[in-house]
Amino acid sequence: KAGVTQTPRYLIKTRGQQVTLSCSPISGHRSVSWYQQTPGQGLQFLFEYFSETQRNKGNFPGRFSGRQFSNSRSEMNVSTLELGDSALYLCASSLGGRSSYNEQFFGPGTRLTVL
Amino acid sequence: GEDVEQSLFLSVREGDSSVINCTYTDSSSTYLYWYKQEPGAGLQLLTYIFSNMDMKQDQRLTVLLNKKDKHLSLRIADTQTGDSAIYFCAESMGADKLIFGTGTRLQVFP
């Protein structure tokens, strides 16, 4: 079974631009979560989508948005990029059931650098 | 509040045991997790513990949970150089929302 894939793996953008990152979950998984990892703030939860609906949201500004398609693939978008958005963006997928235990499988991440 | 703390570094000799500690703040967390991150890689789930358990053992890994003190630890027996990585504890805040600790960098020297 293929794991979680994220594209692109590396991205360089300039301030003010926007960016879209993609995540393909493990086949059969309906939940996709996004996390931002930076040296200063560590790993922070961005949002989670389940069946095309945002189910959980972290404390990030509105410049960060996401969506999920009917095949469970997810995209996240960051508009008006700032230097502080440089980070490793990780996506995780799970079956997404209502139990509080849902093993999340992480992708390798997209390394975004904002110049 | 959502705050999970870990010590930043741990250095151990190969063959010794490693103990990585974590304190969390939300007593309503149902599951607590340990993840491993190697350089340039995503996160790998090592083990988890349900909040009504005190201990869980999985091969070389032992997780201890003290709910009263909100303290979680991961013990790695017979630590190997391949165990060198960053280790994160995490608590679940709803089905698919994890709050991660600051991460502990484990360095294993021969």
Side-chain angles (χ1 to χ4, degrees), chain B:
Chain B
E2 302 175 349
D3 221 359
V4 182
E5 294 185 356
Q6 301 176 236
S7 51
L8 289 180
F9 299 102
L10 177 65
S11 183
V12 299
R13 187 180 298 278
E14 192 174 18
D16 287 351
S17 292
S18 308
V19 179
I20 302 171
N21 295 301
C22 168
T23 55
Y24 60 99
T25 55
D26 195 318
S27 57
S28 65
S29 294
T30 312
Y31 288 92
L32 295 138
Y33 304 83
W34 283 102
Y35 281 86
K36 176 183 180 183
Q37 187 177 37
E38 295 182 87
L43 296 169
Q44 174 195 357
L45 177 65
L46 288 176
T47 187
Y48 67 93
I49 188 167
F50 187 50
S51 60
N52 69 352
M53 297 169 66
D54 297 324
M55 186 184 90
K56 179 179 180 182
Q57 188 151 3
D58 186 358
Q59 299 181 339
R60 291 192 298 124
L61 305 178
T62 303
V63 179
L64 295 178
L65 176 60
N66 180 329
K67 279 195 74 173
K68 175 176 165 289
D69 295 336
K70 299 194 186 82
H71 184 263
L72 181 73
S73 68
L74 173 70
R75 178 176 179 270
I76 305 173
D78 187 25
T79 313
Q80 302 298 307
T81 54
D83 295 323
S84 294
I86 301 177
Y87 290 80
F88 293 92
C89 64
E91 55 178 339
S92 64
M93 306 291 289
D96 283 86
K97 177 181 178 181
L98 294 175
I99 303 301
F100 284 90
T102 47
T104 299
R105 184 179 294 276
L106 173 65
Q107 183 176 23
V108 182
F109 57 92

Side-chain angles (χ1 to χ4, degrees), chain A residues 9 31 33 35 37 43 45 48 55-58 88 90 94 96-104 106-108, chain B residues 2 30-31 33 35 37 40-45 48 50 86 88 92-102:
Chain A
R9 291 292 311 278
S31 169
S33 301
Y35 296 84
Q37 186 177 23
L43 271 158
F45 174 79
E48 182 238 348
R55 190 163 65 170
N56 279 303
K57 189 176 186 303
L88 181 67
L90 292 164
S94 77
R98 290 204 171 271
S99 161
S100 57
Y101 176 72
N102 276 300
E103 182 173 351
Q104 292 193 41
F106 282 80
Chain B
E2 302 175 349
T30 312
Y31 288 92
Y33 304 83
Y35 281 86
Q37 187 177 37
L43 296 169
Q44 174 195 357
L45 177 65
Y48 67 93
F50 187 50
I86 301 177
F88 293 92
S92 64
M93 306 291 289
D96 283 86
K97 177 181 178 181
L98 294 175
I99 303 301
F100 284 90
T102 47

